[in-house]
């Protein structure tokens, strides 16, 4: 039988193609496996810290006392209760006599507190530990649902109950308790230590943290690091990791709100125009929601995977070690729930709609507010331009609301400061995996970015998914033992930072 030349060529060509495909698959497989093998633990090996003798019961009583001051931040500034904040100041003075005798205390903007514990070596950059004195209100009508009243500071069932016990009076008291303990031990820091407690964090921190940071800036202070609230130690929150994971905020999202207004002629609802004001406004909101910014695996989120990935099963490790290949898959997975979706994109949230007063009258003016939380790498300007393009309707006026800020810088996780934090967590909470994290909300620490490159956001508190709703919610509480641990963390951190 004779082969036609063209047939021979085809058979040979097929064979070549097969070999080529197999070769590519083998190379890919090799790359994937090598990357997986090299994807090793980023955790520091340390010995657990010896337990510090500390009276947990007494510390719990101190915190309980602080929870009884209704230092509430209301949206309406007229409701602000000056006296309660001043009484809390007095309470702290009485409760921590050593700290108040040794540290310099300054009251900033009347109600915020800045303490300075002078170090022996002025050449070294100081550290700054933060928290805030204010709490959010208890939502009207929910008081009866609390197991113990929100401002009684009940110590029951092994917990200290009350508004502020998680956010974030345990931070204020934990830090002061640590300082008081160290002072009683005769500890003398070489670096200066600042303690900064704002009074209006829950309404934006524009008088408290903002002015403390400005004051330090005016004095030429340059900090080694700032530690504020943000992340915590989570259990059962990061899928695929059975041990607790300490999420240390290394970046924070930006913030902007746009106000959309549509004006129309109004009139009787029996003869409406084709496009009503409410219809035009709704269409604009709909378009914004339909055209959300695309998802992106931003640096801090990639770092999170670099730190938690190696602690996972082989299959998951393989995926996170090869984000160049599986990035789209991971993004799709993260987009499934609002909590993780917020990690990968600038979010779009319509929060206010106003317009119309009577069922048979066409409103002459309707208004909506859409709030955006901006992913690092994106900007407020981008958000505004994007919204204009998407809405693309001259009948919709777009205004920018006053409260806005850019995403934070990304703090360096190879810095001495991050390593000190990581080490301290693993000394006090042995076996806990420490990982960088993107904070999707906003904290007071953004004001301190002018003083240091190293802003980290972390509270040494163990939370389960169920606990996450307690802060700002019902039955906010902290375990007596958890609070004691929180204090030992701050003691260890101060020692490790020297
Ligand atoms: Zn807070």
């Amino acid at each position: 039988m004779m082969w036609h030349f063209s047939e021979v060529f085809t058979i040979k060509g097929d064979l070549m193609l097969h070999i080529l495909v197999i070769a590519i698959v083998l190379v890919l497989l090799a790359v994937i496996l090598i990357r997986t093998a090299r994807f090793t633990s980023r955790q520091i090996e340390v010995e657990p810290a010896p337990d510090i003798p500390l009276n947990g019961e007494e510390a719990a009583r101190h915190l309980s006392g602080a929870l009884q001051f209704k230092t509430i931040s209301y949206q309406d500034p007229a409701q602000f209760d000056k006296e309660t904040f001043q009484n809390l100041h007095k309470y702290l003075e009485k409760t921590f006599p050593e700290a108040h005798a040794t540290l310099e205390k300054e009251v900033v903007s009347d109600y915020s507190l800045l303490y300075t514990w002078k170090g022996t070596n002025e050449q070294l950059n100081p550290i700054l530990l933060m928290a805030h004195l204010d709490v959010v209100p208890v939502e009207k009508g929910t008081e009866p649902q609390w197991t113990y009243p929100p401002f009684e500071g009940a110590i029951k069932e092994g917990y200290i109950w009350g508004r502020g016990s998680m956010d974030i009076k345990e931070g204020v008291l934990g830090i002061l308790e640590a300082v008081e303990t160290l002072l009683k031990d005769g500890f003398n820091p070489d670096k200066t230590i600042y303690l900064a407690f704002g009074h209006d964090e829950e309404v934006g921190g524009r008088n408290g943290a903002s002015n403390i940071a400005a004051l330090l800036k005016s004095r030429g202070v340059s900090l080694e690091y700032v530690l504020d609230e943000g992340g915590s130690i989570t259990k059962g929150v990061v899928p695929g990791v059975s041990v607790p994971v300490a999420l240390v905020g290394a970046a924070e999202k930006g913030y902007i709100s746009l106000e959309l207004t549509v004006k129309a002629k109004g009139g009787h609802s029996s003869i409406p125009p084709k496009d009503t004001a409410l219809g035009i406004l709704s269409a604009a909101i709909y378009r914004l929601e339909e055209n959300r910014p695309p998802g992106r695996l931003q640096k801090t989120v990639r770092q999170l995977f670099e730190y938690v990935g190696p602690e996972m099963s082989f299959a998951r490790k393989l995926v996170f070690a090869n984000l160049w290949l599986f990035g789209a898959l991971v993004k799709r997975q993260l987009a499934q729930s609002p909590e993780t979706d917020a990690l990968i994109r600038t979010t779009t949230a319509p929060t206010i709609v106003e317009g119309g007063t009577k069922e048979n009258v066409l409103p002459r003016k309707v208004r909506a507010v859409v709030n955006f939380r901006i992913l690092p790498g994106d900007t407020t300007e981008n958000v505004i331009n994007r919204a204009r393009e998407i809405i693309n309707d001259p009948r919709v006026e777009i205004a920018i609301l006053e409260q806005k800020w850019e995403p934070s810088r990304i703090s360096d996780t190879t810095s001495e400061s991050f390593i000190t934090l990581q080490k301290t967590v693993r000394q006090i909470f042995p076996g806990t995996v420490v990982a960088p994290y993107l904070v999707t909300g906003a904290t007071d620490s953004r004001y301190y970015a002018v003083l240091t490159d190293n802003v980290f956001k972390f509270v040494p508190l163990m939370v389960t998914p169920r606990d996450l709703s307690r802060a700002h919610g019902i039955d906010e509480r902290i375990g007596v033992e958890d609070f004691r641990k929180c204090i030992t963390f701050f003691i260890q951190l101060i020692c490790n930072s020297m």
Side-chain angles (χ1 to χ4, degrees):
M1 202 167 77
M2 288 286 290
W3 287 102
H4 279 290
F5 178 75
S6 62
E7 279 174 340
V8 174
F9 185 79
T10 313
I11 291 168
K12 275 205 167 159
D14 275 357
L15 192 65
M16 288 296 285
L17 196 66
H18 278 122
I19 292 172
L20 194 66
V21 168
I22 290 169
I24 289 172
V25 168
L26 284 177
V27 169
L28 269 181
L29 214 59
V31 170
I32 290 169
L33 290 175
I34 289 168
R35 288 188 63 100
T36 310
R38 285 190 182 157
F39 197 51
T40 50
S41 182
R42 307 289 286 261
Q43 304 305 312
I44 305 171
E45 286 309 323
V46 286
E47 289 296 314
D51 201 29
I52 300 163
L54 198 76
N55 189 337
E57 305 294 321
E58 193 189 18
R61 280 195 297 277
H62 291 163
L63 176 57
S64 155
L67 296 180
Q68 293 169 44
F69 294 90
K70 296 185 177 178
T71 49
I72 300 170
S73 268
Y74 295 98
Q75 214 59 48
D76 173 14
Q79 283 181 275
F80 184 81
D81 184 351
K82 300 172 180 175
E83 217 175 304
T84 306
F85 279 85
Q86 284 155 346
N87 288 340
L88 176 60
H89 293 181
K90 283 182 210 145
Y91 174 79
L92 296 177
E93 209 174 318
K94 196 183 83 202
T95 311
F96 304 106
E98 296 283 338
H100 284 80
T102 309
L103 279 60
E104 186 199 340
K105 178 179 116 177
E106 292 172 88
V107 179
V108 179
S109 299
D110 299 332
Y111 311 103
S112 287
L113 296 175
L114 172 65
Y115 294 91
T116 309
W117 190 359
K118 264 246 165 300
T120 53
N121 186 344
E122 293 205 352
Q123 304 302 312
L124 301 171
N125 280 344
I127 64 168
L128 187 141
L129 307 176
M130 303 175 53
H132 55 87
L133 302 171
D134 60 325
V135 298
V136 293
V138 170
E139 203 188 326
K140 269 209 163 47
T142 61
E143 289 93 341
Q145 294 174 48
W146 284 67
T147 309
Y148 302 99
F151 292 101
E152 239 171 49
I155 306 177
K156 291 273 168 68
E157 305 171 40
Y159 293 94
I160 311 150
W161 302 73
R163 175 60 83 232
S165 56
M166 293 171 79
D167 186 7
I168 184 82
K169 281 182 176 165
E170 92 284 15
V172 176
L173 276 278
I175 292 167
L176 284 170
E177 203 80 56
V179 168
E180 190 79 2
T181 308
L182 285 164
L183 280 168
K184 282 180 184 158
D185 265 12
F187 182 81
N188 210 358
D190 58 359
K191 282 174 196 159
T192 292
I193 302 169
Y194 291 109
L195 316 180
F197 306 132
H199 71 275
D200 58 352
E201 194 272 349
E202 299 292 359
V203 285
R206 281 187 289 180
N207 291 315
S210 162
N211 287 344
I212 297 175
L215 179 66
L216 292 174
K217 181 81 187 161
S218 75
R219 293 175 183 165
V221 170
S222 179
L223 298 169
E224 183 185 318
Y225 72 80
V226 163
L227 182 65
D228 191 17
E229 62 180 336
S232 57
I233 305 179
T234 58
K235 216 174 166 201
V237 171
V238 180
V241 186
S242 54
V243 295
V245 180
L247 298 171
V248 178
E252 188 171 299
K253 291 178 92 174
Y255 183 107
I256 191 170
S257 293
L258 299 182
E259 182 185 50
L260 315 181
T261 309
V262 179
K263 289 174 189 149
K265 267 176 69 185
H268 202 284
S269 68
S270 59
I271 44 165
K274 199 173 125 281
D275 291 341
T276 61
L278 269 175
I280 296 166
L281 183 71
S282 309
I285 297 172
Y286 177 77
R287 281 201 292 281
L288 286 176
E289 281 199 334
E290 280 301 286
N291 297 284
R292 297 180 309 155
R296 174 161 57 84
L297 291 180
Q298 163 274 346
K299 186 179 171 191
T300 317
V301 172
R302 283 177 183 271
Q303 284 181 328
L304 168 66
F305 296 142
E306 279 164 26
Y307 280 73
V308 296
E311 316 303 324
M312 294 178 169
S313 67
F314 180 77
R316 285 180 195 256
K317 213 189 294 190
L318 186 137
V319 169
F320 290 122
N322 292 282
L323 287 177
W324 61 278
L325 184 63
F326 300 114
L329 184 85
V330 169
K331 253 188 338 196
R332 208 174 318 141
Q333 199 60 39
L334 291 173
Q336 298 303 313
S337 89
E339 289 81 8
T340 47
D341 186 62
L343 295 174
I344 60 167
R345 79 180 82 239
T346 295
T347 52
T348 305
T351 50
I352 298 173
V353 180
E354 280 171 3
T357 48
K358 197 165 183 314
E359 64 180 286
N360 59 355
V361 176
L362 292 165
R364 296 168 55 84
K365 186 179 163 186
V366 294
R367 163 186 183 263
V369 174
V370 184
N371 179 241
F372 300 85
R373 301 300 178 105
I374 309 161
L375 201 64
D378 206 352
T379 61
T380 50
E381 203 188 332
N382 281 349
V383 171
I384 298 164
N385 291 339
R386 226 178 153 272
R388 283 190 203 289
E389 264 171 46
I390 291 166
I391 292 172
N392 191 25
D393 186 341
R395 297 170 299 178
V396 182
E397 288 168 30
I398 302 172
I400 301 151
L401 294 192
E402 192 195 339
Q403 186 125 277
K404 67 173 193 313
W405 54 88
E406 300 298 331
S408 76
R409 275 194 305 266
I410 298 168
S411 299
D412 183 4
T413 50
T414 61
S415 64
E416 198 63 46
S417 313
F418 184 81
I419 293 166
T420 302
L421 266 171
Q422 192 182 17
K423 182 177 153 193
T424 310
V425 172
R426 289 180 59 83
Q427 281 177 310
I428 302 296
F429 305 92
T432 296
V433 169
V434 182
Y437 178 64
L438 173 66
V439 176
T440 51
T443 69
D444 261 355
S445 66
R446 69 179 176 280
Y447 296 109
Y448 292 83
V450 294
L451 302 170
T452 178
D453 285 340
N454 300 314
V455 179
F456 292 105
K457 302 139 212 278
F458 171 71
V459 185
L461 180 61
M462 184 86 74
V463 291
T464 62
R466 167 77 186 85
D467 293 327
L468 291 173
S469 61
R470 293 179 187 275
H472 288 214
I474 295 161
D475 272 350
E476 190 174 342
R477 67 178 192 191
I478 183 173
V480 172
E481 177 55 21
D482 290 334
F483 181 50
R484 201 183 70 85
K485 276 255 170 157
C486 178
I487 301 162
T488 59
F489 172 87
F490 284 119
I491 292 174
Q492 190 71 38
L493 179 68
I494 290 172
C495 295
N496 287 349
S497 300
M498 296 301 127

